[in-house]
Amino acid sequence: MKEQAKKYIIEAENLAHEYARRDENGDVTEIVRALDGVDVQIREGSFVAVLGANGSGKSTFAKHLNRLLFPTEGTLYIDGMDTADSENTLAIRQTAGMVFQNPDNQIIANIVEEDVGFGLENVGVPTDEILLRVEESLKETGMYSYRRHSPNHLSGGQKQRVAIAGVMAMRPKCIILDEATAMLDPVGRKSVLDTIKRLNQKEHITVVLITHYMEEVTQADYVYVMKQGTVACSGTPGEVFQNVGTLKECRLEAPQITQIVQELCRAGVSITNEIYSVERLAEELLRLKSGFKG
Amino acid sequence: MIRNITIGQYYVADSVIHRLDPRVKVTGTLLYIVSLFLFHNFWGYVVAVGCFFAVMVLSKVPFSYIVRGLKPIFFMLVFTAVLNLFWTPGTVFFRFGAIQLTWEGLRKSVFMAFRLIFLVLGSSLMTLTTTPNQLTDALEKLLRPLRHLHVPVHEIAMMMSIALRFIPILVEETDRIMKAQMARGADFESGSVLQRLRNMLPILVPLFVSAIRRANDLALAMDARCYHGGDGRTKMHPLRYQGRDFAAYFICIAYCVLLYSAVTYLPML
């Protein structure tokens, strides 16, 4: 019941966005509707995943959350602030921080700690406070020992954690990861996901994870699946993975583990549906096996 | 080849010179470079070279490291020296056919070479002891008065620091593209200069496309992190003068006085 009492931090109602393609004379030749009537409500402190194949509009949606884009139609409120109002730009960007896909293209400074402080410098936080917050968020993301390093000598996963630290230093209520793990190797991906999970659980930061990796979604509280600019389906990961047909239409596939479990169910094995990790599946199978013996 | 340039490569060490305020180092280096061109006297070079080595010892940067900076200008150095040597009129001391060498030419070419060498060594020493970030900070502060002339000082400093951040990334990318083209049979090593330049085209085009894409991404990331120009911006590591910085300024003045008196009062050599 306590979860229910929490207010919505992101409220999108009938959100639509159109890109206009223009020719040399500046005349509009084509209008692409990247978002078309999106209704999304995200509670404070939750871990929400937005799934979608390429061109499903998930990145456009992410850019709206940070006011890098604003609605063509409909409304989007971030922590009660209307994104259509340009007065709110800086406040929204401090409330909802964003981590992008390419680790190299989002680190601005030549030293890790200066990059983490970049956002704070921009909003005019006093020097002492910057130093304090940078130290704090570097420790939170486990990058403190690299504070004097050049970002060029870090691995992709470490760079993304620096980017997360840069967002965390702003003390946002919400962090948006726009395919932040797409360019990482499995080790880097795990380190980034572990970091954001910890931030979600310990600091109660709202996490919006935008991705096309089904495996990452399993940890989320709630999942939105996007298709051609609309929300195709939504629910808990378990509910979403049941909709194999809808997922196929969205050019997505349920994680391998879920597929195995579903096949087992179909074959008549009495196994629970809520299994998302190899360890958990192994445990469950062992339990079943010992059950047979006993 | 790009990797050989020492300018912009910080040498990590803990020395008095490293700890100096970058503004002092920039001003001092400029003063030093200008001073190299203001005299034509042997004693002046003794002072200038002596001072360079004194600062070098203080900075703990090994000489071999600084000398690397000379490699890219080696050709230019030889070229200027030869030009000066052969084409300066004066007392001839050697003649072979149309070639004649003069004492004035010899003197001029040696001095010119000295100036160029110490110009590069001096600025290399500065960049080796100053991080690129400190350097841009210093320039932003030093050039601040130009804002009144509507020079976008903050933007220029920001651009410089971003350029510095992306140089290694783009170098790596060039390398990667070159290897990819080589794997497809491209040849960058043989042929005439013109031919080789033309062969570079398949490297430049993808490099530019990628650089523009990166710029676009970076602009978005900066926007997302509340960047809105230099107004109302604070600094994580603001520059503050310490006692040693004033001492360094004083030493710079002392250098000028010493140089002036050496050039003026010691016999012309």
Side-chain angles (χ1 to χ4, degrees), chain B residues 132-151:
Chain B
N133 266 34
Q134 290 177 323
L135 211 58
T136 45
D137 276 358
L139 286 177
E140 185 174 355
K141 270 263 167 108
L142 286 172
L143 299 179
R144 183 158 281 181
L146 291 181
R147 274 193 317 178
H148 300 297
L149 301 171
H150 299 289
V151 178

Side-chain angles (χ1 to χ4, degrees), chain A residues 49-52 223-227 230-234 240 247 250 252:
Chain A
V50 178
L51 260 175
V223 183
Y224 288 94
V225 180
M226 291 192 67
K227 183 191 146 201
T230 56
V231 176
C233 69
S234 65
V240 168
L247 286 181
C250 302
L252 295 166

Side-chain angles (χ1 to χ4, degrees), chain A residues 63 66 68 93 100 104-105 107-110 113-115 118-119 121-125 127 130 152 166 170, chain B residues 133 158 161 164-165 168-169 214 217-218 220-228 232-238:
Chain A
K63 286 187 183 117
N66 201 253
L68 291 169
R93 287 180 186 165
F100 295 87
D104 276 325
N105 296 357
I107 293 183
I108 292 112
N110 296 290
E113 62 174 3
E114 295 205 1
D115 187 72
F118 179 76
E121 289 181 337
N122 288 335
V123 293
V125 174
T127 301
I130 294 181
N152 294 322
M170 304 285 274
Chain B
N133 266 34
M158 186 52 104
S161 101
L164 285 166
R165 152 109 181 85
I169 295 175
R214 281 178 194 281
D217 279 3
L218 190 76
L220 213 58
M222 286 171 79
D223 251 346
R225 292 175 71 183
C226 301
Y227 181 72
H228 54 280
R233 218 166 170 267
T234 45
K235 279 272 175 198
M236 183 173 175
H237 298 295

Side-chain angles (χ1 to χ4, degrees), chain B:
Chain B
M1 196 192 96
I2 305 169
R3 285 167 199 273
N4 292 339
I5 301 172
T6 34
I7 288 175
Q9 279 182 14
Y10 184 61
Y11 180 84
V12 184
D14 188 26
S15 78
V16 191
I17 306 293
H18 282 75
R19 267 170 293 171
L20 279 182
D21 190 291
R23 282 171 290 180
V24 184
K25 285 188 267 190
V26 171
T27 323
T29 310
L30 270 178
L31 198 75
Y32 183 72
I33 289 173
V34 171
S35 79
L36 285 175
F37 287 85
L38 291 183
F39 53 82
H40 308 277
N41 188 326
F42 175 75
W43 293 111
Y45 289 100
V46 171
V47 174
V49 172
C51 281
F52 170 78
F53 280 104
V55 175
M56 191 195 80
V57 169
L58 279 178
S59 75
K60 296 185 189 163
V61 181
F63 185 62
S64 60
Y65 217 87
I66 307 171
V67 169
R68 271 189 234 168
L70 283 177
K71 243 193 252 168
I73 67 146
F74 183 75
F75 181 72
M76 199 178 91
L77 203 61
V78 174
F79 190 69
T80 359
V82 169
L83 269 190
N84 275 311
L85 191 58
F86 289 120
W87 275 277
T88 311
T91 340
V92 177
F93 74 93
F94 178 81
R95 197 191 292 275
F96 182 81
I99 301 168
Q100 53 177 17
L101 302 184
T102 62
W103 285 115
E104 283 80 359
L106 185 66
R107 186 188 151 88
K108 210 171 166 186
S109 71
V110 169
F111 279 8
M112 207 47 170
F114 252 91
R115 278 176 190 162
L116 284 176
I117 289 171
F118 280 88
L119 185 155
V120 172
L121 292 186
S123 41
S124 291
L125 187 59
M126 192 245 314
T127 51
L128 281 166
T129 57
T130 318
T131 63
N133 266 34
Q134 290 177 323
L135 211 58
T136 45
D137 276 358
L139 286 177
E140 185 174 355
K141 270 263 167 108
L142 286 172
L143 299 179
R144 183 158 281 181
L146 291 181
R147 274 193 317 178
H148 300 297
L149 301 171
H150 299 289
V151 178
V153 176
H154 167 77
E155 283 76 4
I156 291 172
M158 186 52 104
M159 269 158 54
M160 278 176 58
S161 101
I162 289 172
L164 285 166
R165 152 109 181 85
F166 277 87
I167 284 171
I169 295 175
L170 291 178
V171 168
E172 212 170 275
E173 188 140 325
T174 315
D175 202 49
R176 201 161 48 224
I177 295 171
M178 270 177 100
K179 283 198 178 115
Q181 309 282 29
M182 268 145 82
R184 288 163 178 75
D187 180 11
F188 302 115
E189 261 117 45
S190 57
S192 67
V193 177
L194 202 71
Q195 188 63 44
R196 264 191 275 176
L197 273 179
R198 192 168 303 151
N199 289 349
M200 291 301 244
L201 207 65
I203 299 174
L204 287 182
V205 173
L207 191 65
F208 267 87
V209 170
S210 142
I212 289 166
R213 186 171 303 140
R214 281 178 194 281
N216 199 11
D217 279 3
L218 190 76
L220 213 58
M222 286 171 79
D223 251 346
R225 292 175 71 183
C226 301
Y227 181 72
H228 54 280
D231 295 332
R233 218 166 170 267
T234 45
K235 279 272 175 198
M236 183 173 175
H237 298 295
L239 295 176
R240 287 196 194 103
Y241 279 127
Q242 313 267 320
R244 58 169 173 263
D245 300 314
F246 295 113
Y249 273 130
F250 181 76
I251 292 170
C252 287
I253 296 168
Y255 164 75
C256 294
V257 173
L258 186 66
L259 192 64
Y260 179 77
S261 37
V263 174
T264 323
Y265 299 114
L266 288 176
M268 187 79 172
L269 253 173

